[in-house]
Amino acid sequence: MAIDGLIILDPAGRPIIQSSYTTYPAAYPLLHIEALNNALAKAPREGSVDPVIYVGELSCSSACCHVEVGGMRFVATISGDADPLIAFAFLDAFTEILQDYFGVVSVATLKDNFDIVYQLLEETLDSSGHPLTTSPNALSDIVLSPSLISKLLASVSPATPGVPSARQGGSFGSNGASGAFTSPIPWRKAGVRHNHNEILFDVVEEMRGIVGKNGTTLVSNVFGKIESNAKLSGTPDLTLTFTNPNVLTECAFHPCVRLQKWIRDNALSFVPPEGRFILADYQYKPPQSALVSNVPIPLSLKANMDMGEFGGTFALTLTSRLIKVMENLELKFYLGEDATSAQCTLSSAGSSVGSVGSADGSWSFNSRTKTLRWEILNMRSSGSWILRGSWTSKIKAPRPAHAFQISFEIPSYSFSSLKVDQLRLSSETYKMYKGVRMRSKGSIEWRW
Amino acid sequence: MSIRAPRKGENYELSVDLNSEYRDKRKDAIKRVIASMTVGKDVSGLFPDVLKNMQTDDLEQKKLVYLYLMNYAKTQPELVILAVNTFVKDSEDPNPLVRALAIRTMGCLRAEKIIDYLCDPLQRALRDDNPYVRKTAALCVAKLYDLKPELVIENGFLDQLRDMISDSNPMVVANTVAALTDIHISATSNQPSDSTSDPAVFSITSAILNKLLIALNECSEWGRVAILNALARYDAQDDKESEHICERVVPQFQHVNGSVVLAAMKVIMIHIRNVRRDDLVKQLIRKMAPPLVTLLSSPPEVQWVALRNINLLLQKRSDLLANEMRVFFCKYNDPLYVKIEKLDIMVRLASDSNVDALLSELKEYSSEVDVDFVRKSIKAIGQTAISIESAAERCVNVLLELINTRVSYVVQEAVVVMKDIFRKYPSTYEGVIPTLCANLEELDEPEAKTSLIWIIGEYADKIDNADELLGIFVDSFTEESYQVQLQTLTAVVKLFLKKPDSSQGVVQRVLNTATKDCDSPDVRDRAYIYWRLLSTDPGAAKAVVLAHRPPISIPRTTVSPALLEELLGEISSLASVYHKPAQTFVGHGRVGADSVQRKGLEISDAQKALQTVVAGQQAENLLDFGDDSTQDGQPSGLAATQILPSTPAAANFLSGTSANPLDDLVSIFGGMETMETSAGSLSTALSPTMTSLSSPFEGFGGPPALPSQPRQNAQPEEDLLGLF
């Protein structure tokens, strides 16, 4: 298992930052960059390049695993019989760290902060190929974040002694900087103090589904995540219980969760890390679990498609099946490689609120991606939204996609109706602020 | 000393700033040096100036200087010596971060001269109070071993590492395990040349096993992967211990990190072999499905790796995801590489109960825009028809619907697939033939043409205007590709044997053209054989050309059983993604060719294994399914085809172990033998030449088959069978 190094390429395929590759010949990273750029150039369209590209030019053959992040390519090169999933997991972790440090990951932020990126790279990936510290809690102690605020805070707050003194040019504190590593709990800093203690949970559920031609749901799965943000002093031992824990199936947990407790009592017992982390991943399966267990899709689409020569016409009607308001609904329709233009009109019918304004929706046609986009910012529970239009194509028998891609968000809603019963704090005596928020989103493929 | 830069230009300015009396200015200059280094400018001339800034209290500045040193240590080793004192001093710094940093950087420098100074600080660091320093030092030992193994052994670092497995801090344990594994791998791969070192550097005992199992639950995701990989190497003493390992490892399935999940799965797949309790096996298998499904909600890259591994797992445990086919339905926006894997898995999961859902999906995919994907989907329909007999008719109906769309590539692919269905279910779907023939004009690809010609020839007696249809191809004979010519030739002869009265003219014409105007020796030879057969003994010709063929079947595995076992032990590695043994693409270091041979002998009798491989390969070639990822050279974008173009795993296995040229012959003659004996048994393939010789047609049958040998790997050929 060895990740030899990491290379970050700008959108033009030139390296911005790469790890040192001390044990490899100088041509080694270059060969990988070349192999990747060649593969990308040869690809007929985006998303058709294998995520693992084999590079066999050198005596020690290797592969590069690549992902796209903010227009850039993050490449991890692996040699030997390594696990590509480690590479992807590492790239993912590294991207998250960068996001933590810089907010936005872009060519500009990376170039401006290259010294910090290098330090992070050194701390997270050993030159022998083993990922090291990727826990944000531990990293924040050894590599300082660039934001001025954190620098200021670091120099006043007593929470992290040691490091600030280093910043001020004084001698290193011998105890503080190593706090993360002497802590008995590997994911948590020792000796954290907050004046205001709080922990927030965001339950985010995402539905992914496919609806067939005749309007029946072929597949719909709901994957959920409990995202947490903890600012708690000391070593808080928390127990989170739900009124309906049975809706959580196939869970995966942050290492802080005590599995035995979950299996026995269906309660999440854990000592959280500081800051943001994902407490649990789960899948929601409706209780009437027959062989096919589909979660109902919260909207319906009626599509009247009429294909003609050199184009076609369509009438799409969207109706919400929810009482809640759906937000940022977006419908995408790929009109085929040879599409040239589209013309549409919007209307809505039977809406109880009445007024049909332009604010209700908008449409656009992107002539580069050949995609028609229909957006509805606020979709209320009753009424329906209609998009009528036509498109033109250069060829006689146009071949548009036979599916619409619909995405939406539903604030304060969860498909599983998961309810938090109680959050108990033991081992510490302070009062803490607790908050739970639900949020759902969906991406549905609707075929016609 | 390097040559001083001229007193102007960027480097000169930097050098001035590096020597500035102001701390901020110096630090800024270092940053600029690093920036220049990053974009590939040569700033090695500034080495002495940068080095002056190494002794600082500013940790960030120190890190940057170290970074610079690491970059140029290889090209300027004599200068690095100047830094040694600071390194040694830093390794005794009160701040553990500085101590660790010094140790880590010294390990990375890879300069011979500095190594001798590394041992003492490393010795101290391994015993440091601070776990961060200890875990950094552990990895450093592995790096030192890479450079100078004897130093590691002389200093007793190995024993120290072995002791550190009992460290109180789980992260130290994990890094120690990782370091020992690295050392173990490089020691065992260099074993013949370096006999002084004990090859089994890191043999896992039951005592170590327990420590690992305890540390497993407490360390970071990367540490868990390292420990799980070590557990996969452990040879359990009895089934009790295997059970124990499985039970302790199963909770790792609930880790959020996919690489931990796959590494855990590998451990289970290895140790489950020794588990005797059926209920436990069942329980373990049941627990494997959900995390695999969860991986499918990850980004496409991770999905792809997961899908490749799922594909492999399914070949061994087909019941693994029996009720989960819908999860693998392709979405329009999925990248092609994901879709293709999903498709393969869907066909694998097909059963009587879900075949309708599968077919309607496949039909849906066949109307998509992406040509490659459409073709794969149509092939999948054929595979379904062949593997599920009760659904064959529904498959044929779907294919007919597709043919009626009259989209050129859809029709062509459907025709190819129909031919396979005819092969599997002879004389069952003859009603389809008129529809196929109606589309004759649409076909422009050789494979589709040969398929249709084969169908016409095979059912010549049932098609009224077969002579007319074949006549079209005879007319354009010289313009067609060789495989079409060969197929036309055979089909016309079949026609003649079935309907001698009406086709005398056309057979004469094709034999004339093929022997006189054709520049391919293959085609000419075959035409001569037919000619002689027909003129000397029409009865014999009938026996050869119209011989009964064994029905085809789909191999449920893409790799041989022996290889599958090996690959399952490599789950969560490149080998499992490529479905090829590691040594075929790693080559360097690791396991050499002789150990492959050893492995072959261990698994079973080498010949037997070979035979399985050859038989599997042969069956696939005869099958003529171009969809097999390890077989074809289609531009499907599969990584598998990129590694070893046109060299299937089976062939590799063959070349790695085969000392017997007869084996190569087996793969050529295997097909003929099945034809002649019509027994369809490839297992007796080891004596094919003898069988062939005993046949009166040996002289005719031999030559045309030979030319197919070089093409065998590239594109499955129809001609072997087509001849008969």
Side-chain angles (χ1 to χ4, degrees):
Chain A
M1 51 169 271
I3 306 172
D4 324 319
L6 185 127
I7 308 168
I8 299 176
L9 299 176
D10 69 5
R14 285 181 305 254
I16 306 173
I17 284 168
Q18 63 184 51
S19 45
S20 50
Y21 286 100
T22 41
T23 51
Y24 297 90
Y28 188 81
L30 294 176
L31 273 172
H32 286 86
I33 295 169
E34 198 185 284
L36 175 62
N37 283 333
N38 280 345
L40 287 173
K42 258 191 260 162
R45 67 200 157 275
E46 238 172 282
S48 56
V49 183
D50 276 341
V52 182
I53 295 174
Y54 183 75
V55 183
E57 274 98 341
L58 288 158
S59 57
C60 48
S61 43
S62 60
C64 61
C65 306
H66 57 100
V67 291
E68 202 210 303
V69 181
M72 295 171 286
R73 287 257 155 208
F74 281 34
V75 185
T77 61
I78 54 175
S79 62
D81 193 14
D83 176 7
L85 212 52
I86 291 200
F88 288 120
F90 176 74
L91 286 175
D92 193 43
F94 193 70
T95 314
E96 244 167 61
I97 292 167
L98 292 182
Q99 250 153 12
D100 243 32
Y101 270 77
F102 310 124
V104 192
V105 183
S106 68
V107 180
T109 49
L110 292 195
K111 278 191 171 162
D112 288 348
N113 297 294
F114 73 92
D115 51 327
I116 295 174
V117 180
Y118 267 123
Q119 289 181 48
L120 288 173
L121 204 50
E122 282 298 313
E123 290 299 336
T124 50
L125 185 64
D126 184 74
S127 66
S128 61
H130 301 283
L132 301 171
T133 319
T134 50
S135 146
N137 272 224
L139 269 179
S140 60
D141 277 355
I142 25 181
V143 181
L144 288 171
S145 137
S147 78
L148 192 65
I149 298 164
S150 82
K151 281 181 191 172
L152 279 173
L153 281 178
S155 57
V156 252
S157 146
T160 50
V163 182
S165 60
R167 300 284 307 181
Q168 289 148 4
S171 64
F172 293 119
S174 56
N175 55 336
S178 55
F181 304 102
T182 46
S183 160
I185 307 161
W187 56 84
R188 188 173 174 85
K189 280 191 231 193
V192 183
R193 284 279 164 267
H194 289 284
N195 290 331
H196 179 67
N197 291 297
E198 64 168 18
I199 182 160
L200 304 171
F201 298 100
D202 271 310
V203 179
V204 183
E205 294 188 348
E206 181 174 8
M207 167 183 270
R208 300 177 185 209
I210 302 176
V211 180
K213 269 194 173 89
N214 48 8
T216 52
T217 308
L218 296 175
V219 207
S220 78
N221 290 307
V222 172
F223 296 99
K225 253 183 209 168
I226 304 179
E227 296 173 353
S228 316
N229 192 356
K231 288 181 190 130
L232 299 172
S233 314
T235 312
D237 196 337
L238 300 171
T239 310
L240 181 66
T241 50
F242 304 97
T243 48
N244 49 350
N246 54 317
V247 299
L248 306 180
T249 57
E250 297 169 9
C251 306
F253 299 110
H254 189 277
C256 68
V257 175
R258 299 181 182 107
L259 276 179
Q260 288 308 318
K261 266 265 179 56
W262 170 253
I263 293 166
R264 209 175 50 225
D265 313 330
N266 274 338
L268 291 179
S269 162
F270 58 99
V271 176
E274 266 292 289
R276 296 185 173 282
F277 66 102
I278 292 174
L279 182 65
D281 278 342
Y282 62 89
Q283 202 186 336
Y284 164 59
K285 285 188 177 164
Q288 71 276 17
S289 180
L291 205 80
V292 182
S293 53
N294 283 330
V295 185
I297 287 173
L299 52 81
S300 76
L301 173 73
K302 230 187 252 139
N304 284 317
M305 308 297 295
D306 199 4
M307 300 274 284
E309 290 183 355
F310 301 104
T313 58
F314 52 86
L316 311 177
T317 311
L318 266 175
T319 319
S320 167
R321 286 179 187 160
L322 266 191
I323 299 169
K324 293 260 180 200
V325 174
M326 277 193 241
E327 285 182 0
N328 300 327
L329 186 129
E330 185 186 77
L331 181 145
K332 280 186 180 166
F333 179 29
Y334 175 68
L335 293 174
E337 216 179 325
D338 303 288
T340 48
S341 70
Q343 269 305 320
C344 306
T345 51
L346 293 161
S347 59
S348 68
S351 166
S352 55
V353 192
S355 73
V356 179
S358 57
D360 268 5
S362 62
W363 67 272
S364 60
F365 173 69
N366 185 329
S367 54
R368 200 178 55 80
T369 58
K370 313 286 183 198
T371 307
L372 182 77
R373 197 161 153 267
W374 177 22
E375 245 185 325
I376 303 171
L377 291 179
N378 268 300
M379 189 161 165
R380 293 173 306 274
S381 56
S382 56
S384 49
W385 281 255
I386 303 164
L387 182 78
R388 270 180 242 277
S390 60
W391 86 92
T392 56
S393 171
K394 275 184 283 191
I395 51 168
K396 199 170 171 187
R399 291 181 63 79
H402 273 254
F404 304 101
Q405 308 298 328
I406 307 172
S407 63
F408 55 84
E409 288 167 26
I410 318 170
S412 324
Y413 177 79
S414 72
F415 293 104
S416 62
S417 9
L418 178 71
K419 276 214 167 52
V420 172
D421 178 37
Q422 214 182 11
L423 179 67
R424 272 197 319 272
L425 171 69
S426 51
S427 78
E428 295 284 339
T429 49
Y430 53 79
K431 282 259 183 271
M432 62 172 178
Y433 174 78
K434 306 169 252 194
V436 182
R437 248 190 329 195
M438 302 283 175
R439 188 152 55 91
S440 290
K441 47 190 178 179
S443 62
I444 310 289
E445 171 168 320
W446 202 291
R447 296 177 183 160
W448 58 274
Chain B
M1 276 295 187
S2 63
I3 305 148
R4 271 271 173 204
R7 298 199 150 268
K8 57 181 190 307
E10 206 180 346
N11 278 9
Y12 176 70
E13 279 168 30
L14 280 172
S15 139
V16 170
D17 282 357
L18 284 170
N19 291 304
S20 161
E21 55 185 311
Y22 301 107
R23 186 200 298 272
D24 291 349
K25 214 166 186 180
R26 290 203 304 267
K27 188 168 169 184
D28 185 57
I30 295 170
K31 280 192 190 177
R32 272 155 50 213
V33 170
I34 305 280
S36 309
M37 187 179 92
T38 319
V39 293
K41 283 184 198 156
D42 184 16
V43 282
S44 59
L46 297 168
F47 205 102
D49 299 313
V50 176
L51 209 58
K52 278 179 205 155
N53 289 287
M54 191 170 162
Q55 267 178 324
T56 169
D57 289 338
D58 186 337
L59 186 57
E60 202 180 347
Q61 181 177 333
K62 201 181 263 294
K63 280 185 188 168
L64 292 175
V65 174
Y66 279 7
L67 200 67
Y68 177 91
L69 285 179
M70 273 190 271
N71 200 43
Y72 284 113
K74 230 188 328 180
T75 46
Q76 313 233 339
E78 69 283 0
L79 287 175
V80 177
I81 289 297
L82 302 175
V84 163
N85 276 334
T86 320
F87 274 128
V88 174
K89 206 173 138 226
D90 280 353
S91 72
E92 291 170 74
D93 195 277
N95 185 334
L97 285 183
V98 178
R99 295 202 296 274
L101 186 66
I103 290 290
R104 195 172 70 208
T105 314
M106 282 173 92
C108 293
L109 287 178
R110 297 186 71 87
E112 286 276 331
K113 289 178 181 158
I114 210 164
I115 284 177
D116 299 324
Y117 299 92
L118 176 61
C119 292
D120 285 342
L122 187 57
Q123 194 76 260
R124 274 197 304 275
L126 285 169
R127 296 204 186 93
D128 202 287
D129 300 337
N130 190 296
Y132 181 62
V133 180
R134 287 203 301 276
K135 81 178 189 149
T136 310
L139 284 181
C140 191
V141 175
K143 282 178 220 161
L144 182 63
Y145 189 90
D146 211 25
L147 286 174
K148 258 192 176 177
E150 56 275 20
L151 268 185
V152 172
I153 293 156
E154 278 166 26
N155 283 287
F157 287 148
L158 276 184
D159 295 324
Q160 245 171 312
L161 276 187
R162 289 192 195 108
D163 291 342
M164 281 165 75
I165 294 179
S166 320
D167 198 286
S168 59
N169 185 304
M171 276 318 297
V172 177
V173 178
N175 274 16
T176 307
V177 169
L180 279 171
T181 308
D182 281 357
I183 295 174
H184 183 80
I185 288 171
S186 70
T188 41
S189 66
N190 295 333
Q191 191 191 343
S193 58
D194 184 12
S195 51
T196 52
S197 71
D198 179 9
V201 174
F202 183 34
S203 50
I204 303 164
T205 62
S206 336
I208 294 179
L209 174 75
N210 279 326
K211 285 171 194 159
L212 294 185
L213 286 174
I214 291 165
L216 181 61
N217 281 324
E218 286 167 24
C219 55
S220 77
E221 55 264 56
W222 318 115
R224 288 182 200 219
V225 173
I227 292 178
L228 286 168
N229 282 336
L231 288 177
R233 277 193 13 229
Y234 177 68
D235 288 323
Q237 285 171 333
D238 51 23
D239 53 322
K240 278 273 172 305
E241 202 170 50
S242 290
E243 284 170 19
H244 179 63
I245 295 173
C246 287
E247 277 164 352
R248 292 293 293 270
V249 168
V250 154
Q252 301 303 320
F253 286 174
Q254 297 200 300
H255 199 282
V256 279
N257 191 309
S259 53
V260 176
V261 173
L262 270 191
M265 222 156 268
K266 166 160 103 180
V267 177
I268 301 278
M269 284 310 281
I270 286 173
H271 289 289
I272 204 171
R273 291 173 192 158
N274 302 326
V275 175
R276 298 233 189 87
R277 274 164 49 201
D278 282 345
D279 58 322
L280 183 63
V281 172
K282 263 205 196 100
Q283 193 193 344
L284 289 171
I285 295 292
R286 211 184 56 228
K287 282 191 173 161
M288 280 169 103
L292 287 174
V293 172
T294 309
L295 281 176
L296 293 181
S297 67
S298 332
E301 295 86 12
V302 176
Q303 277 187 46
W304 183 72
V305 178
L307 286 167
R308 291 292 288 177
N309 282 300
I310 291 173
N311 198 333
L312 205 58
L313 287 168
L314 281 178
Q315 298 188 22
K316 174 78 182 175
R317 305 265 172 196
S318 51
D319 50 341
L320 194 59
L321 292 160
N323 294 326
E324 302 278 3
M325 191 182 72
R326 280 164 189 273
V327 182
F328 298 97
F329 281 6
C330 301
K331 281 187 138 188
Y332 183 78
N333 278 355
D334 282 338
L336 185 62
Y337 54 82
V338 167
K339 284 185 185 173
I340 285 173
E341 281 310 312
K342 282 186 173 175
L343 206 56
D344 203 46
I345 292 174
M346 279 164 69
V347 174
R348 233 170 249 295
L349 292 174
S351 67
D352 273 333
S353 59
N354 59 18
V355 72
D356 282 324
L358 173 67
L359 276 180
S360 82
E361 274 302 294
L362 293 176
K363 199 176 126 193
E364 196 64 45
Y365 302 157
S366 307
S367 67
E368 273 202 21
V369 189
D370 194 315
V371 179
D372 282 347
F373 183 53
V374 169
R375 284 176 181 272
K376 295 259 176 207
S377 307
I378 299 172
K379 283 202 172 107
I381 298 175
Q383 285 170 301
T384 315
I386 288 165
S387 52
I388 305 177
E389 189 163 355
S390 58
E393 192 171 343
R394 278 170 279 175
C395 296
V396 171
N397 288 336
V398 171
L399 286 171
L400 279 181
E401 279 177 53
L402 291 175
I403 289 172
N404 286 330
T405 61
R406 307 192 77 86
V407 178
S408 171
Y409 57 85
V410 174
V411 173
Q412 312 214 36
E413 199 64 50
V415 169
V416 175
V417 167
M418 274 312 299
K419 173 213 58 188
D420 291 322
I421 296 179
F422 278 118
R423 293 260 310 275
K424 168 81 182 184
Y425 309 109
S427 315
T428 312
Y429 301 106
E430 285 154 17
V432 182
I433 294 173
T435 321
L436 296 180
C437 293
N439 285 289
L440 191 134
E441 308 285 322
E442 307 256 352
L443 309 181
D444 53 12
E445 291 163 19
E447 204 191 353
K449 280 187 186 175
T450 49
S451 300
L452 186 61
I453 296 169
W454 182 85
I455 294 171
I456 298 172
E458 193 67 14
Y459 295 93
D461 46 339
K462 312 236 167 84
I463 306 171
D464 294 337
N465 59 343
D467 47 342
E468 254 173 67
L469 296 172
L470 289 175
I472 298 169
F473 291 103
V474 175
D475 290 341
S476 57
F477 194 80
T478 46
E479 294 145 38
E480 301 287 358
S481 64
Y482 296 142
Q483 41 173 323
V484 178
Q485 291 182 346
L486 287 170
Q487 198 52 254
T488 310
L489 196 56
T490 308
V492 171
V493 172
K494 279 183 194 165
L495 171 73
F496 175 71
L497 290 169
K498 286 178 177 175
K499 293 201 277 188
D501 311 330
S502 61
S503 52
Q504 190 97 42
V506 72
V507 80
Q508 198 60 49
R509 202 145 53 91
V510 78
L511 289 176
N512 259 325
T513 323
T515 47
K516 296 210 175 79
D517 302 335
C518 191
D519 50 4
S520 158
D522 267 8
V523 180
R524 267 201 321 266
D525 283 355
R526 194 187 284 196
Y528 277 126
I529 294 163
Y530 284 146
W531 206 328
R532 269 173 222 161
L533 265 176
L534 290 173
S535 55
T536 52
D537 186 357
K542 228 171 204 161
V544 173
V545 180
L546 301 180
H548 175 75
R549 273 169 305 280
I552 54 172
S553 65
I554 288 215
R556 296 301 287 178
T557 53
T558 53
V559 292
S560 67
L563 185 61
L564 180 61
E565 271 308 313
E566 192 190 334
L567 287 178
L568 285 171
E570 306 255 12
I571 290 285
S572 85
S573 71
L574 264 189
S576 70
V577 169
Y578 287 149
H579 293 191
K580 292 179 192 309
Q583 52 274 37
T584 59
F585 57 89
V586 177
H588 154 80
R590 304 268 302 187
V591 203
D594 38 326
S595 76
V596 187
Q597 193 147 24
R598 238 183 301 132
K599 195 159 261 162
L601 287 163
E602 278 163 20
I603 292 167
S604 63
D605 172 38
Q607 288 296 340
K608 209 172 133 200
L610 263 176
Q611 212 174 329
T612 329
V613 170
V614 171
Q617 191 187 356
Q618 190 64 38
E620 282 173 49
N621 279 347
L622 288 175
L623 242 179
D624 201 6
F625 270 145
D627 60 329
D628 198 345
S629 58
T630 56
Q631 282 281 335
D632 66 357
Q634 287 204 356
S636 62
L638 277 183
T641 53
Q642 286 178 353
I643 326 165
L644 295 159
S646 80
T647 316
N652 246 295
F653 206 81
L654 191 76
S655 60
T657 42
S658 166
N660 184 358
L662 198 65
D663 292 328
D664 294 319
L665 280 172
V666 172
S667 61
I668 301 158
F669 284 104
M672 295 180 50
E673 189 237 4
T674 50
M675 172 283 297
E676 279 161 358
T677 58
S678 76
S681 120
L682 286 160
S683 54
T684 55
L686 258 178
S687 57
T689 38
M690 300 323 285
T691 336
S692 298
L693 278 168
S694 66
S695 147
F697 314 120
E698 185 271 332
F700 302 116
L706 275 172
S708 72
Q709 182 187 10
R711 269 173 288 159
Q712 193 180 1
N713 293 328
Q715 180 73 36
E717 293 287 311
E718 178 63 7
D719 47 7
L720 255 185
L721 255 154
L723 174 51
F724 309 108

